[in-house]
Amino acid sequence: MTASPPKVNGHARPPALQVLGDWQPVAAETEPVEEQRSPEPEPAKAEPTAADVEVARARAWAEAEERRVAAEAAKDERRIKAEAEADAIRVEAEEDARKVRLANDRAERKAREDEAASEARIAEHNRRRDEADRARERAAREDAEQQQTETEKAKVVEKSSKRWRRVALGFYALCATVALPVQMAAFWDPNAKYLLVAPIFIEVIALVALVGAAAAVTDGRPQWHYRLVAWAGALTAATINAVHGLGAFDAATAFGTALASVAGPGMWDLHEHGRIRKRDGVPTRGERKAAEKEAKRIAAEKAAEEKRRAAEKKAADEAAAEAAKQLAEMRQAEFEDVWKHARKLAAALGETTVTEAVWRRAHKDIRGADPGEDAETIRARNAAETRVEAARQKRPVNTLSKTTSSQVDQQVPPRPRRGHAGGPKVRGVRRPNDSQRYSSGARKQMSLTAKSSSSMETK
């Protein structure tokens, strides 16, 4: 046997374990041998009696019946639940289909309205464009016709003015020819023949002054002094003709030659006088008469229009008063309590009649709402809306509820709070006839649910 070193890694080796007995290999433990026992005889089983058999058979039948009832209840419950889910799905699908149909109808109607509005706008735009085109064409045609008319009128006026000027000059020359002999006879002196130039000078003075007046009228300058000089020369010549004609000749020669001296310059001055009035915009006598007649016609039409409006206003006021009287009578007959309060309120507010503001306030004081609304009207509207909603949902009216819970009626009636109105709540007590009797379908469903619960608890 080899000796081991006294130290290992600088430490003293621990003492060796004491071996007591023989060395045994480490292996799995052997199973203990079961001691053989002498078999004991089993006790003899008693034969079942007829009663035990009947009891077992009844128990088995009851269990089978219970399982059958439970299975039927579960089946009925699944069927009722499936039918309810199917009905709910069908109602929801119908409602969704109705909403989609309404939305499609609204969209289609909106599209038709938009299309009609667009077509109307296009038609209106085309109509206005055509009217504008026709108006422009008519205005252009009228302008062209007016320009043509004015051109033709200007040509006619110019032609007439030239003819009148020539005729006036010819008439002036004729009058001077008639008037000059008597004037020359008045200035005749065999020793002073140069005095024969004086009558010609007098006649030429009037002619030159009238030509200056015409130039002043054309240029827009003052012309009265030219005309004054012309008339002075004409009257001087006429005076010479009248005085010398009466002394040397007869009265006819005197007045005839005097008239000739005035007629020539006077006729030319009439022409210039017309031009002056036209330039200054002075209306003629006919134009003044036409303007006065038009003013009288407008005044008569205005008076007739004012008279008609006054008559219409009077008729409207009478109709409004009659309508207000009928309305007051109807309100007094239909709403007697509100009418009495309205009259008191009008008197308190200083109104002589029941105005709309007073009536609205009185109706709100008595009926609690604006005119046209009261408790009965609101209840009737709510009932009508309920019937319409029931018709849309294809359900009876009495099954509708705005709540999401199927438990509509309260099963336990409420009780007053303990002590005072703000005290703790008191639990209610259920008594017979506190709520409406369940329907046969609900009672059957509750029975099936109870049986199913009892069978599940038994298992």
Side-chain angles (χ1 to χ4, degrees), residues 32 41 61 106 146 299:
W61 181 83
R106 285 194 296 269
Q146 184 177 1

Side-chain angles (χ1 to χ4, degrees), residues 359-419:
W359 176 254
R360 184 179 296 275
R361 179 174 174 181
H363 194 279
K364 200 163 187 178
D365 292 343
I366 301 301
R367 299 298 176 89
D370 291 334
E373 295 283 346
D374 55 10
E376 296 179 358
T377 304
I378 295 173
R379 282 196 292 268
R381 185 186 301 116
N382 293 336
E385 291 177 354
T386 302
R387 290 193 296 271
V388 171
E389 186 66 20
R392 289 176 177 173
Q393 297 291 338
K394 296 183 179 179
R395 295 179 181 178
V397 178
N398 55 5
T399 61
L400 291 177
S401 176
K402 294 184 179 180
T403 61
T404 57
S405 175
S406 60
Q407 191 70 37
V408 178
D409 293 334
Q410 185 177 3
Q411 301 297 311
V412 180
R415 297 180 63 184
R417 293 178 179 267
R418 182 177 289 110

Side-chain angles (χ1 to χ4, degrees), residues 147-214:
Q147 290 179 1
Q148 184 178 0
T149 303
E150 291 178 355
T151 303
E152 295 176 355
K153 184 178 179 181
K155 292 180 179 179
V156 172
V157 170
E158 185 178 1
K159 184 178 179 180
S160 177
S161 179
K162 289 181 179 180
R163 184 172 61 251
W164 160 253
R165 189 177 293 109
R166 289 195 301 266
V167 172
L169 287 175
F171 182 73
Y172 187 89
L174 177 62
C175 291
T177 304
V178 172
L180 276 175
V182 178
Q183 295 181 46
M184 295 177 72
F187 284 93
W188 170 254
D189 186 358
N191 298 321
K193 295 182 180 180
Y194 58 88
L195 295 177
L196 295 176
V197 182
I200 300 174
F201 171 74
I202 295 173
E203 294 292 338
V204 171
I205 285 176
L207 178 61
V208 172
L210 290 175
V211 171

